[in-house]
């Protein structure tokens, strides 16, 4: 299957600082990537859809000025958590959708980033 | 109503047991369905796609009922290594192909 590399796998930062998370598709081009957040014992919640060369589409309740998404190339999408606070501590994970055929789609995930804000 | 809902779980079963998970979806435009497995503190991994005619992969059987808008996953002869959280996923093609996850059902297989 396709490989999605996410970096860093974990990060600890101070309150008020910004953290950038990278998501790369290694052996395919990803025109669309998704960013999710997962709190303990909860499901993955879609934060935004990242489209190469255009603005990201954010889900309701997700602050676009706090979670900056950039998808400058077909192989790289980044999520920057700006002015991080302890409540932003979570597991962030990216996913790339691969459309094999019109009705056959697969999703491949990065390894996830565990963010702890202290 | 959530777009994708799963059995709340957790399911605690002995080795060798057969266990079934159900998942319902609310958007009738959903066209693609999957079961993912997530181990603790790891990323989800595709277990199997779900096809309209139903499909089987070893001990795992997935079924789709479009009329009732639910999918199911059956695990036979469960192993200790099957312990994980199972996530139901649908793709909403009428919303840019978003992947929407259910809340997950935790399975614990005991010796």
């Amino acid at each position: 299957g396709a490989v999605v590399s996410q970096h860093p796998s974990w990060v600890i930062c101070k309150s008020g600082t910004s953290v950038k998370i990278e998501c790369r598709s290694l052996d395919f081009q990803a025109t669309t990537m998704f960013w999710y957040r997962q709190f303990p014992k909860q499901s993955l919640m879609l934060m935004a859809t990242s489209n190469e060369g255009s603005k990201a589409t954010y889900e309701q309740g997700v602050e676009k000025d706090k979670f900056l998404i950039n998808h400058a190339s077909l192989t790289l999408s980044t999520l920057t958590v700006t002015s991080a606070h302890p409540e932003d501590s979570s597991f962030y994970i990216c996913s790339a959708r691969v459309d094999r055929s019109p009705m056959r789609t697969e999703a491949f995930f990065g390894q996830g980033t565990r963010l702890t804000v202290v | 109503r959530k777009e994708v809902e799963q059995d709340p779980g957790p399911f605690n079963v002995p080795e060798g047991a057969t266990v079934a998970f159900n998942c319902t979806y609310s958007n009738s435009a959903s066209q693609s369905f999957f079961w993912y497995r997530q181990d603790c503190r790891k990323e989800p991994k595709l277990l199997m796609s779900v096809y309209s005619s139903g499909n089987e992969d070893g001990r795992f059987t997935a079924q789709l009922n479009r009329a009732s808008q639910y999918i199911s996953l059956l695990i036979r002869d469960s192993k200790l290594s099957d312990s994980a959280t199972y996530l139901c996923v649908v793709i909403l093609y009428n919303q840019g192909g978003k992947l929407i996850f259910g809340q997950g059902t935790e399975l614990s297989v005991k010796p």
Side-chain angles (χ1 to χ4, degrees):
Chain A
V3 178
V4 176
S5 176
Q6 186 173 341
H7 178 81
S9 55
W10 60 270
V11 57
I12 301 173
C13 71
K14 289 185 177 180
S15 223
T17 61
S18 295
V19 174
K20 180 187 279 188
I21 302 170
E22 293 187 348
C23 184
R24 293 180 184 273
S25 55
L26 296 186
D27 50 1
F28 67 102
Q29 293 181 331
T31 54
T32 302
M33 286 191 176
F34 302 95
W35 286 96
Y36 294 84
R37 179 168 55 182
Q38 186 178 35
F39 292 106
K41 299 290 187 183
Q42 294 186 26
S43 186
L44 283 80
M45 298 301 297
L46 181 63
M47 299 175 67
T49 302
S50 169
N51 298 298
E52 185 268 335
S54 63
K55 289 183 180 179
T57 303
Y58 290 82
E59 295 299 300
Q60 194 172 12
V62 178
E63 299 174 59
K64 61 183 173 137
D65 295 328
K66 180 170 181 63
F67 299 98
L68 302 179
I69 290 173
N70 185 286
H71 196 152
S73 77
L74 287 170
T75 59
L76 175 64
S77 176
T78 61
L79 167 67
T80 301
V81 183
T82 63
S83 187
H85 290 285
E87 57 265 30
D88 297 325
S89 299
S90 187
F91 185 62
Y92 292 85
I93 192 164
C94 65
S95 172
R97 195 185 77 217
V98 178
D99 296 316
R100 303 282 191 202
S101 62
M103 294 304 287
R104 186 180 164 216
T105 294
E106 296 182 52
F108 298 93
F109 289 85
Q111 300 89 332
T113 298
R114 193 159 299 281
L115 171 64
T116 302
V117 185
V118 296
Chain B
R1 183 184 172 187
K2 291 182 181 177
E3 287 179 316
V4 181
E5 290 200 69
Q6 295 184 234
D7 289 334
F11 284 57
N12 297 301
V13 302
E15 263 188 297
T18 296
V19 61
F21 306 136
N22 291 316
C23 169
T24 57
Y25 59 95
S26 60
N27 191 323
S28 58
S30 304
Q31 293 293 335
S32 294
F33 309 89
F34 307 89
W35 283 102
Y36 275 76
R37 170 194 169 129
Q38 186 177 26
D39 293 290
C40 188
R41 302 173 78 87
K42 297 282 184 64
E43 76 277 20
K45 291 192 184 296
L46 178 65
L47 180 65
M48 59 196 305
S49 302
V50 186
Y51 301 120
S52 296
S53 55
N55 47 301
E56 189 174 306
D57 182 3
R59 298 181 293 109
F60 300 85
T61 301
Q63 293 200 314
L64 166 64
N65 184 319
R66 287 190 185 273
S68 301
Q69 295 185 195
Y70 82 82
I71 68 174
S72 64
L73 176 68
L74 182 77
I75 305 175
R76 290 181 299 279
D77 188 24
S78 51
K79 312 289 184 191
L80 297 177
S81 57
D82 293 334
S83 297
T85 296
Y86 291 83
L87 301 163
C88 168
V89 182
V90 303
I91 292 183
L92 303 181
Y93 284 104
N94 64 341
Q95 293 186 34
K98 293 193 294 190
L99 284 79
I100 304 297
F101 286 78
Q103 71 270 40
T105 301
E106 186 179 343
L107 171 66
S108 179
V109 182
K110 307 290 188 186

